[in-house]
Amino acid sequence: MHGRVKVRTVAEQAEAKKKEKEKKLQAYNAALEKIFEKRNNQILDEEGLKLSLEVLLANPDFYTLWNFRKDIFFSLKESRPTEELQKLYEEELHFIESCLRVNPKSYGTWDHRTFVMNNIPQADWKRELFLCNKFLEYDERNFHCWDYRRFVVKNSTNITIQDEFDFTTDKISSNFSNYSSWHYRSKLLPLLQPDPEQPAGVKEEALLKEFEIVQNAIFTDPDDQSAWFYHKWLLGRGEIKLDLLHVVIIRKSKRVVVNVTKPIHLVDTPYKIQLEVNGNTITDKWQNPFDTNLHSPVWIMLLPDGIMSTDDTMEISVKLLNDSETISSCLLTMKSSMKQASYHSTTVKPAAIFSSELTAAKSAILEQELQSIQELLELETENKWAILTVVQLMKSLDSIRYATEIKNNLEKLQSIDPKRERYYNDFGSKIVIENQIKTMDPLESMLQLNNLSLTAAYHMEYLLILQDLDVSHNHITNVKNFAYLQCLEVLNLDDNQLDNVDGLEFLPSIVSISLRRNFLANLEVLRPLQRCKTLVMLCLDGNPLFASSGMPHMFVCLSSIQMSIIPKNFP
């Protein structure tokens, strides 16, 4: 038996590992105890660097320790010469590399490297770019490294935009699925080939070349979403120009309502709305329809008592300002016999706002892309990305002309991608409402959107002057954005899927609301309607309302409302 190596049993090996683990844990905790003692006593020395180094090599995600090291470097900066600081920072960079090998996606580690490069006396940006290249070889989707790379490029004087653009080309050529490269490319292209007249901000020649590249990716791997997202970016999202769209003065509710082309905020921003009545500036507070501190395309001012009670004709001026510069203005005359006065822009059309969501400089580009994607669909008949892109292109080109094709494609998407059925339904609802708004008279006071299979009511902000709206026999579940309809008097919401009426309480002119055959389960959900002081008719037939202890109180609160309640019979 002499001379034979003794082999540990499984139990002995497990016990040895356990003891080793306990030993490391004790050392880890002891180091932490010393570190926090130093930190609490503000002892910022090189021993603290050494102690935290040992812990961070084991756990690079300990953000507090990275901050502790930053504090030490700030302290040493005041007492050490530049040469010594340079050496300390270089050692820190090597240490950070070791931590990144442990966890290449550590937030704290990449942030600390940024700190070091911002403070090192002589930064070697070329070496940092080389490091980024290496880590992106290991994981080309490491967005921490991509962010750091942008930081390096921004601070380096030797790296050109063209160099970085070529780098993305190489990465995409080796892997079409590299979403980070596509995204970085979208940031570089407007800088390399700028053209502010194009929606994507890129020269048309460069844009056409990019379409060729992305089409190669799409036809090579139609199921990969990275290239499809870049394709959508190339098509462009036009910038909506801020302008006045509607202005309405309502005598009964004593308010001025201003509708602009895109959401703005009037507090702590350069944007202002200036209101003058008969030459006198009114300085009362503007608020959005929801009375919240949020951006909004609709702003309301409640006029002081006495202004609307005059029998004289009123001259009302509204100006939209950017600082002191007038963006747009209008002048309204309101005679004593008028219930309301309104202004509608003759230069800004809702149709132009809708089309700006996805548009290229020339429709020929869109037509060309539509033809290409349709050719792909002949090969990939159930590719959801291709079908969705066709819908978006048709919407941008002419949503009315392509209405039937859009509807059929969205129905097909629901069948092949049922998990996103609600998204496709909502998208279809949005297009249907846009088409209705495009074809209606902008001064029309009545609109019928019934029996259109709507699941959501989009663009209510562009229907500011409506007085009568019928959205019955749809699948609407939310009416919060109905608050934009400040002139609305009659609303039909029969046969939808509402379980609450939140949003309707902000309608100052509402007289009649019909909510027959919805999912309103109790009278408590109707409590917001108590704020509707002008409401005289509320129809609730066919809702699963049930009696509760609060019902008598609710009836007292709503004593001015004629309620027709016929509860459904549920088993």
Side-chain angles (χ1 to χ4, degrees):
M1 303 297 289
H2 295 288
R4 294 182 62 182
V5 178
K6 184 178 180 181
V7 179
R8 292 181 178 180
T9 64
V10 174
E12 289 174 334
Q13 291 177 11
E15 182 65 24
K17 288 181 179 179
K18 181 180 178 182
K19 289 181 178 179
E20 181 67 22
K21 187 176 181 180
E22 289 176 351
K23 184 179 179 181
K24 289 182 178 179
L25 182 60
Q26 288 176 358
Y28 183 89
N29 289 334
L32 278 182
E33 187 176 344
K34 290 181 180 179
I35 290 169
F36 281 105
E37 182 180 352
K38 282 180 171 291
R39 184 169 179 263
N40 292 334
N41 295 324
Q42 285 296 295
I43 302 175
L44 305 173
D45 55 17
E46 290 190 49
E47 185 186 7
L49 289 177
K50 183 179 179 181
L51 289 169
S52 58
L53 179 147
E54 296 170 356
V55 175
L56 286 167
L57 282 173
N59 179 14
D61 293 318
F62 208 140
Y63 210 106
T64 302
L65 297 193
W66 289 116
N67 287 337
F68 178 56
R69 293 180 76 84
K70 288 182 179 69
D71 290 339
I72 294 175
F73 275 104
F74 279 132
S75 176
L76 295 175
K77 188 176 181 179
E78 298 175 358
S79 59
R80 301 297 175 89
T82 302
E83 295 79 8
E84 191 172 337
L85 282 173
Q86 178 72 22
K87 183 179 178 181
L88 283 172
Y89 278 122
E90 287 175 354
E91 291 174 353
E92 189 74 357
L93 289 173
H94 289 297
F95 161 60
I96 293 171
E97 285 182 41
S98 299
C99 292
L100 287 173
R101 291 189 182 95
V102 177
N103 182 5
K105 295 184 178 181
S106 169
Y107 283 90
T109 310
W110 285 107
D111 177 75
H112 192 67
R113 194 169 189 91
T114 302
F115 161 79
V116 171
M117 292 304 295
N118 277 329
N119 288 276
I120 190 171
Q122 295 180 1
D124 186 351
W125 296 108
K126 186 176 180 180
R127 185 180 183 280
E128 294 305 295
L129 190 66
F130 177 78
L131 178 127
C132 290
N133 290 341
K134 283 296 181 183
F135 274 96
L136 289 176
E137 286 178 8
Y138 301 145
D139 181 2
E140 60 192 12
R141 296 190 178 191
N142 186 339
F143 68 88
H144 303 276
C145 187
W146 281 104
D147 284 342
Y148 184 72
R149 184 186 185 93
R150 282 188 280 272
F151 161 75
V152 171
V153 171
K154 182 179 179 181
N155 286 277
S156 174
T157 57
N158 299 321
I159 305 169
T160 67
I161 297 174
Q162 184 65 55
D163 292 337
E164 287 300 279
F165 190 75
D166 293 340
F167 177 77
T168 65
T169 303
D170 292 339
K171 284 295 179 184
I172 290 169
S173 298
S174 62
N175 182 6
F176 285 137
S177 186
N178 192 333
Y179 180 84
S180 296
S181 292
W182 289 112
H183 176 260
Y184 192 24
R185 195 176 185 87
S186 72
K187 299 297 182 183
L188 295 171
L189 197 59
L191 301 176
L192 195 62
Q193 301 285 347
D195 184 353
E197 298 301 319
Q198 291 276 7
V202 179
K203 290 181 180 178
E204 187 173 343
E205 291 181 4
L207 203 64
L208 292 173
K209 289 181 181 178
E210 291 301 296
F211 275 123
E212 292 179 10
I213 294 172
V214 77
Q215 281 183 16
N216 287 336
I218 288 170
F219 275 80
T220 302
D221 188 0
D223 293 319
D224 183 77
Q225 62 183 340
S226 301
W228 287 110
F229 280 119
Y230 187 68
H231 182 268
K232 184 175 181 180
W233 175 80
L234 286 175
L235 292 172
R237 181 179 290 271
E239 179 68 22
I240 300 173
K241 183 181 178 182
L242 182 61
D243 205 340
L244 287 175
L245 189 60
H246 286 107
V247 177
V248 182
I249 295 94
I250 309 171
R251 185 180 296 278
K252 188 174 183 180
S253 58
K254 300 179 181 179
R255 63 185 59 203
V256 176
V257 187
V258 177
N259 177 204
V260 294
T261 51
K262 62 181 180 181
I264 60 172
H265 204 296
L266 299 180
V267 179
D268 297 328
T269 71
Y271 299 119
K272 298 289 184 290
I273 298 176
Q274 180 179 299
L275 175 66
E276 292 184 2
V277 178
N278 294 331
N280 299 315
T281 301
I282 310 298
T283 58
D284 286 44
K285 178 184 176 183
W286 289 95
Q287 62 189 47
N288 63 39
F290 309 96
D291 197 18
T292 59
N293 188 31
L294 298 174
H295 285 67
S296 173
V298 175
W299 289 90
I300 302 165
M301 180 184 286
L302 301 178
L303 294 174
D305 292 337
I307 290 183
M308 282 295 186
S309 61
T310 179
D311 294 331
D312 298 330
T313 298
M314 292 188 297
E315 297 290 337
I316 300 168
S317 168
V318 176
K319 291 182 180 180
L320 177 62
L321 306 174
N322 184 353
D323 286 328
S324 58
E325 181 182 352
T326 300
I327 299 173
S328 183
S329 64
C330 70
L331 183 65
L332 295 90
T333 300
M334 189 168 188
K335 298 180 180 179
S336 58
S337 59
M338 297 171 62
K339 293 182 178 180
Q340 69 180 47
S342 62
Y343 159 84
H344 176 74
S345 173
T346 57
T347 58
V348 182
K349 306 292 184 183
I353 297 174
F354 301 150
S355 64
S356 71
E357 291 185 0
L358 182 67
T359 180
K362 295 182 179 179
S363 60
I365 296 177
L366 295 177
E367 293 281 6
Q368 176 183 322
E369 288 306 301
L370 178 59
Q371 182 179 351
S372 297
I373 305 304
Q374 286 176 327
E375 290 174 1
L376 174 62
L377 273 175
E378 293 177 3
L379 304 173
E380 301 282 340
T381 56
E382 295 194 349
N383 184 284
K384 68 176 184 180
W385 296 106
I387 298 172
L388 183 58
T389 301
V390 164
V391 171
Q392 291 167 337
L393 286 165
M394 288 178 171
K395 174 182 179 295
S396 181
L397 283 165
D398 191 337
S399 59
I400 296 176
R401 174 161 61 99
Y402 288 113
T404 302
E405 290 93 328
I406 288 173
K407 182 175 182 293
N408 293 338
N409 279 319
L410 287 173
E411 289 176 353
K412 186 174 182 179
L413 282 168
Q414 292 174 43
S415 64
I416 64 178
D417 188 18
K419 289 184 178 180
R420 294 167 183 82
E421 179 182 1
R422 186 58 188 263
Y423 168 77
Y424 300 128
N425 278 328
D426 286 356
F427 190 24
S429 299
K430 185 177 184 180
I431 295 173
V432 167
I433 294 175
E434 287 179 2
N435 288 346
Q436 290 283 334
I437 295 175
K438 287 177 184 178
T439 55
M440 70 181 290
D441 186 329
L443 299 178
E444 180 63 58
S445 63
M446 180 183 295
L447 179 62
Q448 290 189 328
L449 296 174
N450 55 311
N451 287 296
L452 294 175
S453 300
L454 302 178
T455 56
Y458 287 97
H459 301 311
M460 293 295 105
E461 65 271 26
Y462 300 124
L463 299 171
L464 187 64
I465 63 174
L466 273 188
Q467 296 179 14
D468 190 328
L469 176 62
D470 184 356
V471 284
S472 62
H473 299 278
N474 286 297
H475 310 290
I476 294 172
T477 59
N478 187 307
V479 291
K480 287 184 178 179
N481 63 344
F482 279 52
Y484 292 123
L485 305 174
Q486 292 290 298
C487 298
L488 195 66
E489 296 180 358
V490 179
L491 175 60
N492 187 347
L493 284 162
D494 293 348
D495 297 285
N496 277 284
Q497 298 175 10
L498 296 171
D499 60 10
N500 68 80
V501 295
D502 295 347
L504 300 187
E505 69 270 28
F506 299 113
L507 300 178
S509 305
I510 195 69
V511 174
S512 172
I513 301 176
S514 186
L515 290 159
R516 295 182 176 94
R517 294 174 295 280
N518 277 275
F519 299 153
L520 303 172
N522 58 72
L523 290 175
E524 191 63 28
V525 300
L526 301 175
R527 190 171 294 280
L529 297 181
Q530 291 177 277
R531 295 180 58 180
C532 298
K533 304 303 182 183
T534 58
L535 187 61
V536 297
M537 177 63 72
L538 177 63
C539 299
L540 299 167
D541 308 49
N543 281 280
L545 292 161
F546 58 87
S548 68
S549 58
M551 183 178 287
H553 172 69
M554 182 66 70
F555 272 115
V556 171
C557 295
L558 303 178
S559 59
S560 64
I561 299 177
Q562 302 172 25
M563 302 184 67
S564 174
I565 306 175
I566 306 176
K568 285 183 178 179
N569 294 321
F570 288 89

